[in-house]
């Protein structure tokens, strides 16, 4: 592409202070360095994790910063050493990446990569300790290695997953976090035996994905628990067979589920 190797100016939603409204700014996005990829973000969604760290509750504040980690986009250019991705590839960002070499990456029981595991306190690239974002020469910090609230972003190649170009980016962008979190919690962690009973607490995006994972695993009863009864009908589409609203019971909800 004509922009490869050049600084790109684009719009980004910048958080200047904790809890203050994001500001649409023109930022400069530097070219990707070794083992990095620059991606044009076409769709991005909002996760509660973005809100939590924007509010700066319970962690070291780091501002100014570009948040965002659930997204879909197209590779614009790649840095030295990148062979598995090429300009034009459709991709999703992955905030817990894979170097493919460490013991965790080679294990079937863990995805906490020694190099690319999620690090909310790191606001720069791993390779050289610098940010790829700037405004008037002043750096803007990254967020969990993705920073998708920008029209262009730079990520380590291990934090980028290539997907089928026919997949609609406006829908599969949530696979970057919410859906994979819930689905993986069921299939890879809970591992419910076929014919088992599973209770899902909370029927938001993560909970619905967990229900779908339990269904795929073969659970025969999937109990959806939520304070919002309007979610129950939609949850049926994701495998929930029964529902409990804690507000309708005086007993602890775990006892209600156990004796159903």
């Amino acid at each position: 592409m004509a922009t490869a190797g050049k600084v790109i100016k684009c719009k980004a939603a910048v958080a200047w202070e904790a809890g203050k409204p994001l500001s649409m700014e023109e930022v400069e996005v530097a070219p990707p360095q070794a083992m990095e990829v620059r991606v044009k973000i076409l769709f991005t969604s909002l996760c509660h994790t973005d809100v939590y760290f924007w509010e700066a509750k319970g962690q070291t504040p780091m501002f100014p910063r570009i948040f965002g980690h659930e997204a879909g986009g197209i590779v614009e250019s790649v840095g030295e050493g990148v062979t598995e991705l090429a300009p034009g590839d459709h991709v999703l960002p992955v905030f817990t990446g894979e170097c493919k070499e460490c013991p965790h990456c080679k294990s079937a029981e863990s995805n906490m990569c020694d190099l690319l595991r999620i690090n909310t306190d790191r606001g720069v690239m791993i390779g050289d300790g610098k940010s790829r974002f700037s405004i008037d020469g002043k750096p803007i910090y990254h967020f969990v290695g993705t920073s998708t609230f920008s029209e262009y972003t730079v990520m380590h190649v291990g934090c980028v997953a290539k997907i089928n170009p026919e997949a609609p980016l406006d829908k599969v962008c949530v696979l970057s976090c919410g859906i994979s979190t819930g689905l993986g919690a069921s299939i890879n962690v809970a591992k419910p035996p076929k014919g088992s009973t599973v209770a899902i607490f909370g029927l938001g995006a993560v909970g619905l994905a967990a229900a779908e994972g339990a269904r795929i695993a073969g659970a025969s009863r999937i109990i959806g628990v939520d304070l919002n009864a309007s979610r129950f009908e939609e949850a049926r589409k994701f495998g929930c067979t029964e529902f409990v609203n804690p507000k309708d019971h005086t007993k602890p909800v775990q006892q209600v589920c156990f004796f159903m």
Side-chain angles (χ1 to χ4, degrees):
M1 294 187 178
T3 51
K6 301 176 182 178
V7 172
I8 290 178
K9 291 185 178 181
C10 68
K11 293 293 185 181
V14 177
W16 292 99
E17 297 179 59
K20 296 295 179 66
L22 305 186
S23 175
M24 292 302 299
E25 306 282 359
E26 182 178 78
V27 301
E28 293 187 341
V29 185
Q33 300 303 302
M35 303 307 294
E36 296 176 0
V37 180
R38 188 161 60 185
V39 175
K40 181 178 182 179
I41 298 297
L42 298 181
F43 296 93
T44 188
S45 54
L46 177 66
C47 174
H48 187 267
T49 301
D50 296 308
V51 177
Y52 180 82
F53 284 93
W54 165 70
E55 292 176 331
K57 293 182 176 179
Q59 78 283 333
T60 304
M62 185 178 293
F63 296 95
R65 202 171 204 181
I66 297 174
F67 288 102
H69 61 282
E70 284 185 340
I74 298 176
V75 174
E76 175 270 337
S77 60
V78 301
E80 180 183 352
V82 176
T83 58
E84 57 265 57
L85 292 171
D89 285 343
H90 286 217
V91 295
L92 301 178
V94 182
F95 59 83
T96 295
E98 295 182 356
C99 71
K100 301 180 181 179
E101 299 295 332
C102 73
H104 286 284
C105 285
K106 292 182 178 181
S107 168
E109 300 299 323
S110 173
N111 69 336
M112 298 304 290
C113 175
D114 286 340
L115 178 68
L116 299 174
R117 71 178 63 187
I118 184 171
N119 184 338
T120 58
D121 290 331
R122 185 175 60 235
V124 294
M125 300 300 293
I126 289 177
D128 59 5
K130 297 179 181 180
S131 174
R132 300 291 175 261
F133 298 109
S134 64
I135 295 178
D136 296 329
K138 297 180 180 179
I140 308 296
Y141 292 118
H142 294 249
F143 178 64
V144 295
T146 54
S147 292
T148 62
F149 291 174
S150 175
E151 291 178 321
Y152 286 86
T153 189
V154 176
M155 295 175 277
H156 189 282
V157 65
C159 293
V160 181
K162 182 179 178 179
I163 63 171
N164 188 324
E166 295 185 7
L169 290 172
D170 62 327
K171 295 179 174 62
V172 298
C173 61
V174 292
L175 288 171
S176 291
C177 180
I179 304 305
S180 56
T181 298
L183 196 74
S186 287
I187 295 177
N188 298 328
V189 181
K191 300 178 181 178
K194 191 172 182 178
S196 61
T197 298
V198 175
I200 307 293
F201 288 78
L203 298 174
V206 175
L208 292 177
E212 176 71 3
R215 184 195 66 77
I216 293 172
S220 60
R221 295 179 67 199
I222 303 173
I223 304 169
V225 182
D226 202 293
L227 294 170
N228 185 352
S230 67
R231 292 180 169 182
F232 293 164
E233 196 57 41
E234 187 69 18
R236 292 186 189 278
K237 302 176 184 178
F238 291 83
C240 284
T241 58
E242 300 161 62
F243 302 94
V244 172
N245 186 334
K247 293 190 295 186
D248 296 336
H249 303 272
T250 57
K251 293 181 179 180
V253 68
Q254 63 269 29
Q255 292 184 17
V256 176
C257 292
F258 184 78
F259 290 107
M260 286 183 69

